[in-house]
Amino acid sequence: MAGKGLEGVVVGQSRLSDINGEVGELIYAGYDIDDLARNTTFEEVCYLLWNGELPNREQLDGFKRELAANARLSDEMLAVLRTLPRDADPMAALRTAVSALGTFDPKADEITDAEVRRKALYLTAVTPTLVAAYDRLRNGNEPLQPKEGKSVASNFLYMLNGEEPNDTRCRTMDVALVLHAEHAMNASTFAARVTAGTLSDVYSCITSAIGTLKGPSHGGANVEVMNMLREIDESGQDPAAWVHGALEGGKKVMGFGHRVYRATDPRATVLRELADKIMAEAGETRWLDLSDKIRAAMADEMEKRGKKIYPNVDFFSASVYTTLGIPMDLFTAVFAIARTPGWTAHLLEQYADNRLIRPSSEYVGPRGKKVVPIDQR
């Protein structure tokens, strides 16, 4: 019998990524995530997920040109964004915008391999522009279009903050996107594949994924980490005392543990190094210093309890994103930007060997009840 939440159930095969939670290993198409994060770019990882191998220089240059050609927002889509309330949840705005994109695509319902690849590239290119444009509009600023010759990471920070990032900030953003690009059969990926299993269109599939990622149990963990950091900082309380009190009160310390990892989340190791560099350069190490104190306190508390629990990728991404000037309520939307190539890579697999995903359920309700006439109820 399946565990609650389908735990332990294998729902399909994939060549895209694998997680060994016992040793803290994550691979994309055969490549270790640490190797990819240190030695490739987000664009290279997108190509890898869609093609099974990293590009050579000529392939990468052509791929970047294709991404750049698809990154600008049309006047029609800008008009859609202008109609959205300025106080809307950015994930709700993104979900609505991606759904709207499908209405402007005359080939939206075509799911040939070539068409799915075209839409995968388009959505990966345009999603950062959508997120940045909505943020500027809700703050009373005009959206900025991406600059030619810049990476996805560089353009996103430029379109969001109105100034070109330096090399450290650009590289930090790029690595964060690489680390979040793919993560096996997580909830939003499964939602996308379930939608694709009905032979629905790519835009509907990604809308399903965004709606699933929007939930705080999936995509919003780094927001809760930042809330925790701010709570401790504003209270002036000793981090170790706060952690002890939280655990004694049965409160979860955000950013620790993961559904699939029983060892250190390999993505957290890379982000910790990036956090050190970017915050030192910014001259503001408050959030990192606080994070390190919380991590040390958690290690002590777990040792006393005879347990082991490690930081996950959300623990450091929260302070990294804050240092990059990304508003806290955009954290999950940044997650969606990064995960779009992973979602669409799964769609390529699903459509290529499709079967309707239709699990069974175990009925635990009553039996043998009889209808009583309405006037006698």
Side-chain angles (χ1 to χ4, degrees), residues 18-82:
D18 188 40
I19 303 165
N20 185 335
E22 297 302 318
V23 299
E25 178 187 64
L26 170 63
I27 64 170
Y28 293 178
Y31 294 90
D32 186 81
I33 189 60
D34 190 86
D35 191 12
L36 289 171
R38 297 180 191 281
N39 298 302
T40 69
T41 63
F42 181 59
E43 288 82 357
E44 288 175 271
V45 166
C46 293
Y47 189 98
L48 169 67
L49 292 173
W50 295 335
N51 297 284
E53 273 301 342
L54 290 168
N56 59 32
R57 172 58 61 187
E58 182 180 357
Q59 290 167 331
L60 180 60
D61 289 344
F63 185 65
K64 286 180 176 179
R65 287 193 293 270
E66 286 186 280
L67 284 169
N70 283 275
R72 296 181 66 84
L73 283 183
S74 66
D75 291 341
E76 292 84 359
M77 275 310 304
L78 282 171
V80 170
L81 291 178
R82 293 181 195 280

Side-chain angles (χ1 to χ4, degrees), residues 228-229 232-233 236-244 253 256 272 285-301 311 315-316:
M228 176 184 71
L229 293 175
I232 297 172
D233 183 62
Q237 190 173 3
D238 176 66
W242 188 95
V243 168
H244 179 77
V253 179
F256 287 84
R272 170 62 182 80
T285 63
R286 173 178 44 154
W287 301 123
L288 184 58
D289 294 341
L290 182 54
S291 297
D292 283 338
K293 290 176 182 178
I294 294 170
R295 181 170 59 164
M298 276 293 288
D300 290 343
E301 291 289 339
F315 187 65
F316 292 113

Side-chain angles (χ1 to χ4, degrees), residues 24-239:
E25 178 187 64
L26 170 63
I27 64 170
Y28 293 178
Y31 294 90
D32 186 81
I33 189 60
D34 190 86
D35 191 12
L36 289 171
R38 297 180 191 281
N39 298 302
T40 69
T41 63
F42 181 59
E43 288 82 357
E44 288 175 271
V45 166
C46 293
Y47 189 98
L48 169 67
L49 292 173
W50 295 335
N51 297 284
E53 273 301 342
L54 290 168
N56 59 32
R57 172 58 61 187
E58 182 180 357
Q59 290 167 331
L60 180 60
D61 289 344
F63 185 65
K64 286 180 176 179
R65 287 193 293 270
E66 286 186 280
L67 284 169
N70 283 275
R72 296 181 66 84
L73 283 183
S74 66
D75 291 341
E76 292 84 359
M77 275 310 304
L78 282 171
V80 170
L81 291 178
R82 293 181 195 280
T83 67
L84 300 178
R86 291 189 175 185
D87 60 351
D89 184 317
M91 282 296 284
L94 179 61
R95 182 192 61 212
T96 300
V98 169
S99 182
L101 286 175
T103 67
F104 294 110
D105 187 342
K107 295 184 177 181
D109 290 325
E110 294 187 19
I111 53 174
T112 62
D113 183 78
E115 270 299 309
V116 175
R117 288 175 180 274
R118 178 183 69 82
K119 296 177 181 85
L121 189 141
Y122 174 49
L123 287 167
T124 297
V126 80
T127 299
T129 316
L130 287 170
V131 173
Y134 177 70
D135 184 68
R136 290 186 66 82
L137 285 169
R138 69 176 179 164
N139 287 296
N141 300 315
E142 275 301 297
L144 297 173
Q145 294 285 12
K147 290 191 172 185
E148 290 189 15
K150 299 295 182 180
S151 68
V152 171
S154 178
N155 262 325
F156 174 64
L157 292 176
Y158 161 69
M159 292 185 292
L160 185 69
N161 299 320
E163 57 184 36
E164 290 192 41
N166 63 26
D167 290 344
T168 301
R169 297 170 75 82
C170 181
R171 179 59 182 158
T172 300
M173 185 75 251
D174 189 79
V175 173
L177 295 177
V178 168
L179 294 173
H180 288 85
E182 164 60 9
H183 209 239
M185 199 63 74
N186 57 84
S188 55
T189 295
F190 185 53
R193 292 191 75 140
V194 169
T195 306
T198 70
L199 299 182
S200 190
D201 64 282
V202 170
Y203 298 98
S204 294
C205 296
I206 301 305
T207 301
S208 294
I210 292 170
T212 305
L213 185 67
K214 182 175 179 291
S217 291
H218 184 15
N222 51 11
V223 175
E224 295 307 316
V225 170
M226 201 64 223
N227 281 329
M228 176 184 71
L229 293 175
R230 288 182 171 175
E231 178 185 334
I232 297 172
D233 183 62
E234 291 170 4
S235 71
Q237 190 173 3
D238 176 66

Side-chain angles (χ1 to χ4, degrees), residues 174-370:
D174 189 79
V175 173
L177 295 177
V178 168
L179 294 173
H180 288 85
E182 164 60 9
H183 209 239
M185 199 63 74
N186 57 84
S188 55
T189 295
F190 185 53
R193 292 191 75 140
V194 169
T195 306
T198 70
L199 299 182
S200 190
D201 64 282
V202 170
Y203 298 98
S204 294
C205 296
I206 301 305
T207 301
S208 294
I210 292 170
T212 305
L213 185 67
K214 182 175 179 291
S217 291
H218 184 15
N222 51 11
V223 175
E224 295 307 316
V225 170
M226 201 64 223
N227 281 329
M228 176 184 71
L229 293 175
R230 288 182 171 175
E231 178 185 334
I232 297 172
D233 183 62
E234 291 170 4
S235 71
Q237 190 173 3
D238 176 66
W242 188 95
V243 168
H244 179 77
L247 294 174
E248 288 296 305
K251 184 177 179 180
K252 181 176 174 60
V253 179
M254 300 305 298
F256 287 84
H258 193 282
R259 175 76 172 259
V260 298
Y261 290 112
R262 300 295 177 267
T264 300
D265 183 337
R267 301 168 297 174
T269 303
V270 180
L271 266 185
R272 170 62 182 80
E273 294 177 18
L274 288 171
D276 201 20
K277 291 179 182 178
I278 191 174
M279 293 180 199
E281 184 178 275
E284 174 56 89
T285 63
R286 173 178 44 154
W287 301 123
L288 184 58
D289 294 341
L290 182 54
S291 297
D292 283 338
K293 290 176 182 178
I294 294 170
R295 181 170 59 164
M298 276 293 288
D300 290 343
E301 291 289 339
M302 290 301 105
E303 185 176 359
K304 293 174 187 175
R305 292 165 168 77
K307 299 179 180 179
K308 291 184 178 180
I309 187 169
Y310 303 94
N312 58 42
V313 69
D314 299 306
F315 187 65
F316 292 113
S317 66
S319 51
V320 166
Y321 289 168
T322 298
T323 306
L324 286 171
I326 299 171
M328 192 165 66
D329 66 351
L330 283 191
F331 287 2
T332 311
V334 172
F335 194 156
I337 291 170
R339 188 56 57 83
T340 298
W343 287 334
T344 50
H346 277 272
L347 298 186
L348 285 164
E349 286 193 336
Q350 185 67 38
Y351 287 129
D353 185 26
N354 186 59
R355 186 175 184 187
L356 180 70
I357 300 173
R358 205 307 191 176
S360 300
S361 62
E362 180 188 8
Y363 178 70
V364 295
R367 296 183 185 277
K369 299 177 74 172
K370 301 293 183 182

